[in-house]
Amino acid sequence: DHTVRIWSADKGSCLQTLEGHTGWVRSVAFSPDGKMVASASDDYIVRIWSADKGNCLQTLEGHTGGVRSVAFAPDGKTVASASDDKIVRIWSADKGNCLQTLEGHTGGVRSVAFAPDGKTVASASDDHIVRVWSADKGNCLQTLEGHTDWVRSVAFSPDGKTVASALDDKIVRIWSANKGNCLQTLEGHTGWVKSVAFSPDGKTIASASDDKTVRIWSAGEGNRLQSIHLGMVSFTLSFSPDGRSLLTQAGAISLGHLPQPPLITTLDNSKSSTSSTSSVQASPNPDHDQERHLGYGISKDRSWVTLNGKDLLWLPADCRPGQSAVFGTTVAIGTHSGRIVVMRFSAEGPAGL
């Protein structure tokens, strides 16, 4: 019904209904402070919402195609959006005006990411190219060529010197952001690679694929360190601040001491911490591992919000995610109907879970 709903996690009641998008929601992202949520839709519009109150703060209009990806700058003051119209736009999060229009791609743009300093933006496109842009001036700084298929996801390293790209050719590539040359080619996935992320120290990379695995790689040497079976495709990936845990759409995973087999650990999402009250060694049976992921997440059939590996909140069919994002104890879901569902959980969770 193209609405946004905010729910009580404890009672399951609808607290607010926010009307806005009229098409599928393709991407959602939290601001760095967790106070705002940006959503990108097939209705050509980006909306910025208050995560606490649920009201729409800004409606960003200007794209002439569906919007595939949205990202906040590290300071939360600007938002970048990537669209099927082959254009990347940079917006003021406060005023809603378009600050830059980045043109150059010859195919739809599927992913956009800010560098840690907020001065540059990387974009990934169906034209098999990643471009690095100046966020302030809007000019293209580097054209990263060599991909053989659509590029699904792009991410900067913490120092901003390298860029990782995820492809439909089942490969992850690492590039020099300054020189534009390919530094590493990471091969091993058996399906399209949907998402990629750097660890906080920049030494490892995580990638998520249609093969329903997450793989952890050495950024410097290019070798695979871990392969984790999720049982579902994770369209988003992010590391905890200390790099010891990985947040996926299946929940929080403690990576333990690389390259040992991962520990599946209770994550205190409210503090973005990896401290845990219990941890278990992941079973060598991948089908068993997928049932032992802990922390807030989405079940593999996308019909439940989960906590500590248990079904917590059932999602009606029209509230199930096409995309989702987790920040602390808040879960944001973008649905195919255009509805955004934002749920804020207590830090402790319901008793018994």
Side-chain angles (χ1 to χ4, degrees):
D1 58 6
H2 306 152
T3 64
V4 175
R5 297 193 179 211
I6 299 179
W7 303 81
S8 165
D10 294 330
K11 299 180 180 179
S13 57
C14 181
L15 303 177
Q16 297 187 43
T17 300
L18 313 176
E19 299 187 15
H21 286 300
T22 58
W24 287 16
V25 177
R26 296 289 185 176
S27 178
V28 292
F30 279 97
S31 61
D33 61 8
K35 294 181 179 179
M36 295 183 290
V37 176
S39 57
S41 172
D42 278 351
D43 62 10
Y44 306 175
I45 291 174
V46 174
R47 293 182 181 271
I48 301 176
W49 313 84
S50 166
D52 292 327
K53 298 180 179 179
N55 57 305
C56 183
L57 303 175
Q58 295 292 344
T59 301
L60 313 182
E61 299 183 77
H63 282 295
T64 58
V67 189
R68 293 277 186 169
S69 179
V70 65
F72 276 94
D75 62 6
K77 294 181 179 180
T78 56
V79 173
S81 58
S83 171
D84 285 338
D85 64 10
K86 309 174 187 178
I87 290 173
V88 174
R89 292 181 181 269
I90 300 177
W91 313 80
S92 166
D94 293 331
K95 299 180 179 179
N97 58 305
C98 183
L99 303 174
Q100 294 291 345
T101 301
L102 313 182
E103 299 184 70
H105 283 297
T106 58
V109 189
R110 290 183 174 266
S111 180
V112 65
F114 276 95
D117 62 6
K119 295 180 179 179
T120 55
V121 173
S123 57
S125 171
D126 291 350
D127 63 11
H128 305 178
I129 290 174
V130 170
R131 292 180 180 269
V132 180
W133 313 80
S134 166
D136 294 330
K137 299 179 180 179
N139 57 306
C140 183
L141 304 174
Q142 292 292 342
T143 301
L144 312 183
E145 300 183 76
H147 307 95
T148 60
D149 213 325
W150 292 357
V151 191
R152 296 272 181 175
S153 179
V154 66
F156 276 97
S157 61
D159 61 9
K161 294 181 179 180
T162 56
V163 174
S165 57
L167 288 82
D168 276 3
D169 64 7
K170 309 172 186 177
I171 292 174
V172 176
R173 296 178 188 270
I174 304 175
W175 308 81
S176 166
N178 296 324
K179 298 180 180 180
N181 57 306
C182 183
L183 303 174
Q184 296 287 351
T185 300
L186 313 180
E187 300 184 62
H189 280 297
T190 58
W192 296 348
V193 188
K194 296 289 191 178
S195 184
V196 65
F198 277 92
S199 62
D201 63 7
K203 295 181 179 181
T204 56
I205 291 176
S207 57
S209 168
D210 273 349
D211 61 16
K212 300 182 180 180
T213 69
V214 169
R215 293 176 187 253
I216 311 297
W217 314 82
S218 166
E221 299 180 2
N223 58 303
R224 185 182 57 170
L225 303 176
Q226 288 188 23
S227 181
I228 304 166
H229 184 82
L230 291 182
M232 65 179 291
V233 180
S234 186
F235 291 91
T236 58
L237 288 174
S238 61
F239 281 86
S240 62
D242 64 5
R244 292 176 59 88
S245 294
L246 186 69
L247 187 62
T248 76
Q249 287 179 279
I253 302 170
S254 175
L255 300 175
H257 299 285
L258 293 171
Q260 298 297 319
L263 294 174
I264 309 305
T265 304
T266 302
L267 182 67
D268 182 357
N269 288 282
S270 64
K271 300 178 182 179
S272 298
S273 165
T274 56
S275 62
S276 62
T277 58
S278 63
S279 62
V280 294
Q281 188 71 39
S283 163
N285 180 352
D287 292 330
H288 187 56
D289 288 349
Q290 68 191 31
E291 304 301 329
R292 302 183 74 171
H293 290 230
L294 303 182
Y296 287 107
I298 303 295
S299 65
K300 63 181 180 180
D301 64 1
R302 302 181 186 273
S303 62
W304 290 86
V305 175
T306 60
L307 174 63
N308 294 345
K310 298 180 180 180
D311 295 339
L312 173 64
L313 181 65
W314 179 76
L315 299 173
D318 59 352
C319 294
R320 292 175 187 172
Q323 296 290 339
S324 62
V326 178
F327 185 93
T329 59
T330 304
V331 178
I333 292 172
T335 72
H336 294 317
S337 69
R339 172 184 297 169
I340 305 290
V341 181
V342 180
M343 295 165 284
R344 187 177 296 279
F345 295 83
S346 65
E348 297 79 13
L353 284 178

